[in-house]
Amino acid sequence: MSAPGATILHADLDAFYASVEQLLDPALRGRPIAVGGGPHGGVVLAASYEAKVHGVQGGMPGWRASRLCPELVFVRGHFREYQRLGDAVMAVLADVTPMVERISIDEAFLDVFGATHLFGPPAAIGARIRERVRAEVGLPISVGAARTKHLAKIASQVAKPDGLVVVAPGAERAFLDPLPVGLIWGVGPVNEQRLADLGIRTIGELARTPSSAVEHILGHAVGHKLSAMAQDEDPRRVVTSRRARSVGAQSALSRRRPEPDDVRAVLAHLSDRVSRRLRAKGRAGRTVTVAVRFTGMRRATRSLTLPVPVAATLTLTEIAERLAWSAIEDAAPCEITLLGVSVSNLADQRAIQLELDLQPPDPWRPGSAPGAARRAVDESMDAIRTRFGGDAVGYLPVVLRRGGAVPDEFRELAEHDL
């Protein structure tokens, strides 16, 4: 189907991690497989389509996945191969148009308006991409095309697995209205259930519901955004390069009462991940934010904005602890299910201006004597990790917490460049 105006494409590799494993080991093709976890524990990181038909999903405990699909094959992840093959696919997309916005390791938006005179209409370009990725990389990819990014992403989800859907200009409402509301970007299980409680199960029903009613249930920001998406109002354009405005990490926890040593270990691990990314790019941030999720999906955040940007692991850990306990104590007694740390108000920090010894030393100030010492320790540890690997050295709480359910290598694949 030719649709000259549907020049925004969303290309999304199908069951990427599982598909890579099946590519690397032909004996796994056509079989239900899970990346990560095992029949007695751990967490499933990704599942093949053959496993998904049995209800197996990423984020599920391995024992539960094994019960749903007794013939499930558990495999370990090949993280370097994920990065290599993901980059190879992005190179194919860049051959079609320079207007490529990579949003994760396995998906990207393209603006092919300027490429139609070379390769034909969007449908032909989508077919060309799928053929080349399959032939040159060996992986299946689904492509959606429309006039907006939001609609192109929905089209690619409808096209899965291994398909192509082009939404012609003028056909948007007929395409969107019967689709489940859960396909809208940003609608998770909780909001999907809240909308269902209102009798809203399709995108068309959401589009016909006054925005004020949706905002009353989901909050102003989320409700307004979802109402606009349902109306296919999305002015965003494809952006080829931009720097992240924040960097963060979070860890889902089994339901537990907060204990000081446990909370510190988790926050130290998260702060270490965040600070290493900041220092690797010569960046630091002034605002530190901690998120705490409690049972019942209740969530609290606390933030602190500092006079100078910081990127030291110990400093972020101490600030995160103070913020986390502020939220926990306000909710006590409670049980927590997630902790998250993020840093925003980013700035370049290639070097530290040392302070004169005229005021009490504060380790949170990078230029103070203790602050500079923290920076020196971090830089030495970064150098050791670069040479000998990420597990070669670490702060004690982080070292003691290693071996979590989800490997850091897997999490890092989804992190945006700073």
Side-chain angles (χ1 to χ4, degrees):
M1 178 171 58
S2 176
T7 56
I8 303 297
L9 271 59
H10 181 256
D12 192 3
L13 288 156
D14 298 322
F16 175 57
Y17 302 109
S19 294
V20 170
E21 299 301 329
Q22 292 174 323
L23 175 66
L24 298 176
D25 184 357
L28 297 175
R29 295 175 187 173
R31 301 178 65 185
I33 70 168
V35 180
H40 304 295
V43 176
V44 173
L45 306 179
S48 67
Y49 279 102
E50 296 85 355
K52 289 180 179 181
V53 299
H54 294 277
V56 179
Q57 299 178 359
M60 177 180 291
W63 62 264
R64 184 181 175 194
S66 184
R67 289 183 182 179
L68 290 172
C69 182
E71 63 272 27
L72 187 65
V73 179
F74 291 91
V75 298
R76 299 185 64 181
H78 292 79
F79 301 102
R80 290 184 180 178
E81 290 300 299
Y82 299 154
Q83 190 67 63
R84 180 182 69 83
L85 293 169
D87 290 345
V89 171
M90 295 302 146
V92 172
L93 303 184
D95 279 349
V96 174
T97 174
M99 298 297 293
V100 178
E101 179 182 347
R102 187 175 188 174
I103 57 176
S104 72
I105 190 173
D106 60 343
E107 62 179 319
F109 286 107
L110 300 83
D111 187 337
V112 298
F113 179 80
T116 54
H117 68 288
L118 293 175
F119 305 117
I125 294 175
R128 179 187 181 91
I129 288 171
R130 293 182 59 244
E131 290 169 2
R132 284 195 57 187
V133 170
R134 174 69 80 171
E136 298 175 22
V137 186
L139 294 172
I141 189 169
S142 295
V143 177
R147 290 197 291 188
T148 64
K149 293 172 78 170
H150 157 67
L151 190 51
K153 184 171 176 65
I154 290 181
S156 73
Q157 305 313 299
V158 173
K160 286 183 174 296
D162 197 16
L164 169 66
V165 169
V166 179
V167 183
E172 290 91 349
R173 284 264 58 94
F175 174 75
L176 279 174
D177 283 356
L179 296 177
V181 72
L183 285 179
I184 295 181
W185 202 353
V187 175
V190 174
N191 285 340
E192 187 174 9
Q193 183 58 53
R194 289 176 178 172
L195 292 171
D197 292 341
L198 287 178
I200 301 172
R201 292 179 172 81
T202 68
I203 296 177
E205 291 169 342
L206 179 58
R208 293 188 291 271
T209 303
S211 178
S212 58
V214 181
E215 293 174 27
H216 178 72
I217 298 297
L218 304 181
H220 173 71
V222 174
H224 179 76
K225 178 181 178 181
L226 295 187
S227 292
M229 292 287 192
Q231 298 288 347
D232 195 30
E233 297 174 1
D234 185 7
R236 297 171 303 158
R237 309 311 302 168
V238 173
V239 179
T240 57
S241 62
R242 58 184 174 190
R243 302 192 77 175
R245 291 180 292 182
S246 65
V247 53
Q250 64 182 25
S251 179
L253 311 170
S254 59
R255 180 173 173 170
R256 65 184 69 178
R257 291 195 176 278
E259 298 292 341
D261 289 345
D262 191 27
V263 170
R264 179 175 178 79
V266 174
L267 293 176
H269 175 72
L270 298 176
S271 298
D272 188 47
R273 288 178 52 204
V274 170
S275 61
R276 286 170 63 187
R277 290 188 63 204
L278 287 170
R279 293 193 300 271
K281 295 296 183 178
R283 306 276 275 169
R286 293 180 56 233
T287 301
V288 181
T289 302
V290 168
V292 184
R293 190 177 67 199
F294 305 98
T295 52
M297 299 303 292
R298 293 181 299 123
R299 191 179 182 96
T301 60
R302 297 289 188 273
S303 297
L304 176 66
T305 297
L306 302 163
V308 292
V310 298
T313 298
L314 283 178
T315 300
L316 289 182
T317 301
E318 291 170 356
I319 295 171
E321 276 194 285
R322 178 181 296 185
L323 295 173
W325 282 110
S326 171
I328 292 170
E329 289 168 358
D330 286 347
C334 62
E335 293 180 318
I336 59 176
T337 60
L338 177 143
L339 289 171
V341 176
S342 64
V343 178
S344 55
N345 282 339
L346 303 183
D348 289 331
Q349 192 184 63
R350 302 291 177 180
I352 300 296
Q353 176 63 53
L354 298 180
E355 302 174 359
L356 294 175
D357 191 16
L358 299 177
Q359 52 186 327
D362 180 356
W364 288 8
R365 295 199 315 270
S368 68
R374 290 183 171 189
R375 174 81 177 197
V377 171
D378 282 335
E379 290 177 344
S380 296
M381 292 173 61
D382 292 342
I384 293 171
R385 286 163 163 168
T386 299
R387 183 172 180 180
F388 298 105
D391 293 337
V393 67
Y395 289 98
L396 184 61
V398 180
V399 173
L400 293 179
R401 195 177 182 272
R402 281 177 185 158
V406 180
D408 283 347
E409 296 95 332
F410 188 84
R411 300 181 189 274
E412 289 166 1
L413 292 173
E415 293 173 345
H416 296 284
D417 191 15
L418 296 178

